[in-house]
Amino acid sequence: MSFPISPVLAQAAPAAGAQGGGMQMIIMMVVLFGLMYFMMIRPQMKRQKEHRALISGLAKGDEVVTNGGIAGRVEEVGETFITVEIAANVKVKVQKGAVSQVLPKGSLKSV
């Protein structure tokens, strides 16, 4: 004679574990989001802040390199564009955001 008690008890056990598993899943998602924030989002925001400071600090006479690799000396600074002299009497107008770095004074000799 077999009673259906043992199959019923076996089925009831996972229901108690499902609630704990749901809480663990939520905690794991929060931990993963926190890790992603500190590993990806926060450093990117820091780089953007540094780039904005670099762009706002541009002045005439600074030696810069653009994203395209063009190196030259800043001749004119406008609201959104700057004029860069890349050779004697050769000037290029580029967007301020295209400047990737400012070189130390005296890096460019032939301009």
Side-chain angles (χ1 to χ4, degrees), residues 26-58:
I26 290 172
I27 292 171
M28 185 62 114
M29 294 293 282
V30 168
V31 168
L32 285 176
F33 180 75
L35 185 65
M36 187 174 75
Y37 176 78
F38 283 106
M39 297 295 287
M40 296 174 65
I41 297 171
R42 190 168 174 248
Q44 180 65 26
M45 289 171 49
K46 185 177 177 181
R47 278 190 292 264
Q48 286 176 347
K49 184 178 178 182
E50 290 172 356
H51 190 255
R52 279 193 300 265
L54 178 125
I55 297 298
S56 65
L58 286 176

Side-chain angles (χ1 to χ4, degrees), residues 55 58 76-83 93-99:
I55 297 298
L58 286 176
E76 182 183 337
V77 179
E79 187 70 27
T80 57
F81 290 93
I82 60 171
T83 304
K93 187 173 268 194
V94 297
Q95 287 184 334
K96 279 185 170 182
V99 174

Side-chain angles (χ1 to χ4, degrees), residues 62-74 82-88 90-92 94 98-104 107-111:
D62 286 344
E63 296 175 353
V64 297
V65 177
T66 65
N67 289 338
I70 298 173
R73 184 171 292 119
V74 176
I82 60 171
T83 304
V84 179
E85 185 177 16
I86 57 175
V90 178
K91 296 180 182 177
V92 178
V94 297
V99 174
S100 62
Q101 71 183 70
V102 176
L103 299 172
S107 296
L108 303 173
K109 298 173 186 167
S110 62
V111 175

